Amino acid sequence: MNENELQKLVEDISLKYFGRPFVHQVKINRRMTTTGGRYHLSDHHLEINAHFLVPQYHDYLVGIIKHELCHYHLHLLGLGYQHRNRDFKVLLQKVGGSRYAPDIGLRKKKKYRYLYTCKNCGLKYPRMRKINTRKYRCGKCHGQLYLTQTLS
Ligand SMILES: [Zn+2]
Ligand SMILES: [Zn+2]
């Protein structure tokens, strides 16, 4: 789906579910990972996460667009447009918008650099920093820890 098709989709959803036109711009954001979209208060444009523009995520995309349109219309109407506002919660529920960005595996897994293992019970301790194995012991059995893996 390109930006023109997305623009059309947002305009259609706006009329169908909100009964109001969407008269600003939609942009595609290719760098978004943890959010599905964003509404910009300053110039009222929407940004949509490019990863959701493929056919298999169409339902997610519609949910995201509805969510952003809740911000959009409430803000323009001078109503509570923030997540914590009642106006927002009620409208989101009414139009069936998504509450959170759907998890399609875009979030990066936290990387650790060192992996320690307990000599006694085998429990593993992934750590970002080196630890002093003479000082720190296994939290479960108090066994000695040793470095088993180093990732760069
Ligand atoms: Zn939001
Ligand atoms: Zn242990």
Side-chain angles (χ1 to χ4, degrees), residues 17 35 40 75 101 103 106 108 112 123:
Y17 293 92
T35 48
H40 292 260
H75 181 235
D103 189 356
L106 297 173
K108 279 192 194 130
Y112 59 88
L123 199 67

Short mmCIF file of all heavy atoms in Angstrom, two decimals, residues 17 35 40 75 101 103 106 108 112 123:
data_model
loop_
_atom_site.label_atom_id
_atom_site.label_comp_id
_atom_site.label_asym_id
_atom_site.label_seq_id
_atom_site.Cartn_x
_atom_site.Cartn_y
_atom_site.Cartn_z
N TYR A 17 -16.67 5.67 10.32
CA TYR A 17 -16.76 5.41 11.76
C TYR A 17 -16.91 6.67 12.61
O TYR A 17 -17.36 6.61 13.74
CB TYR A 17 -15.56 4.61 12.24
CG TYR A 17 -15.53 3.21 11.68
CD1 TYR A 17 -14.84 2.93 10.51
CD2 TYR A 17 -16.20 2.18 12.34
CE1 TYR A 17 -14.83 1.64 9.98
CE2 TYR A 17 -16.19 0.89 11.82
CZ TYR A 17 -15.51 0.64 10.65
OH TYR A 17 -15.51 -0.64 10.14
N THR A 35 5.49 1.63 18.09
CA THR A 35 4.16 2.24 17.96
C THR A 35 3.58 1.96 16.57
O THR A 35 4.31 1.78 15.61
CB THR A 35 4.22 3.78 18.14
OG1 THR A 35 5.27 4.28 17.33
CG2 THR A 35 4.45 4.16 19.57
N HIS A 40 0.14 14.11 15.16
CA HIS A 40 0.93 15.30 15.45
C HIS A 40 0.02 16.49 15.75
O HIS A 40 -0.73 16.94 14.88
CB HIS A 40 1.86 15.61 14.28
CG HIS A 40 2.93 14.60 14.11
ND1 HIS A 40 4.22 14.78 14.57
CD2 HIS A 40 2.88 13.35 13.59
CE1 HIS A 40 4.93 13.69 14.32
NE2 HIS A 40 4.15 12.81 13.73
N HIS A 75 -9.06 16.07 19.37
CA HIS A 75 -8.21 17.25 19.48
C HIS A 75 -8.83 18.43 18.73
O HIS A 75 -8.92 19.54 19.24
CB HIS A 75 -6.81 16.93 18.94
CG HIS A 75 -5.86 18.09 19.05
ND1 HIS A 75 -5.17 18.58 17.96
CD2 HIS A 75 -5.50 18.86 20.11
CE1 HIS A 75 -4.42 19.60 18.35
NE2 HIS A 75 -4.59 19.80 19.65
N ALA A 101 -0.24 -0.84 20.29
CA ALA A 101 0.31 -1.25 19.00
C ALA A 101 0.41 -2.77 19.00
O ALA A 101 0.98 -3.35 19.91
CB ALA A 101 1.68 -0.63 18.80
N ASP A 103 1.69 -6.40 18.58
CA ASP A 103 3.06 -6.90 18.61
C ASP A 103 3.28 -7.86 17.44
O ASP A 103 2.81 -8.98 17.46
CB ASP A 103 3.32 -7.61 19.94
CG ASP A 103 4.78 -7.96 20.10
OD1 ASP A 103 5.57 -7.72 19.16
OD2 ASP A 103 5.15 -8.47 21.16
N LEU A 106 8.36 -6.55 16.16
CA LEU A 106 9.26 -5.47 15.74
C LEU A 106 10.17 -5.00 16.86
O LEU A 106 11.22 -4.43 16.62
CB LEU A 106 8.45 -4.27 15.24
CG LEU A 106 7.59 -4.48 14.00
CD1 LEU A 106 6.73 -3.27 13.75
CD2 LEU A 106 8.47 -4.76 12.80
N LYS A 108 12.87 -4.90 19.46
CA LYS A 108 14.17 -5.59 19.55
C LYS A 108 14.28 -6.30 20.88
O LYS A 108 13.92 -5.76 21.92
CB LYS A 108 15.29 -4.57 19.43
CG LYS A 108 15.57 -4.20 17.99
CD LYS A 108 16.88 -3.42 17.90
CE LYS A 108 16.97 -2.76 16.55
NZ LYS A 108 17.30 -1.36 16.62
N TYR A 112 22.16 -9.10 25.71
CA TYR A 112 23.11 -9.13 26.82
C TYR A 112 24.48 -9.43 26.23
O TYR A 112 24.60 -9.97 25.14
CB TYR A 112 22.71 -10.18 27.85
CG TYR A 112 22.63 -11.58 27.29
CD1 TYR A 112 23.75 -12.41 27.25
CD2 TYR A 112 21.43 -12.09 26.82
CE1 TYR A 112 23.67 -13.68 26.73
CE2 TYR A 112 21.34 -13.36 26.30
CZ TYR A 112 22.47 -14.16 26.25
OH TYR A 112 22.39 -15.42 25.75
N LEU A 123 21.78 -22.43 36.82
CA LEU A 123 20.96 -21.26 36.50
C LEU A 123 21.79 -20.25 35.71
O LEU A 123 22.96 -20.05 35.99
CB LEU A 123 20.45 -20.63 37.80
CG LEU A 123 19.25 -19.70 37.66
CD1 LEU A 123 18.01 -20.49 37.24
CD2 LEU A 123 18.98 -19.00 38.99
#
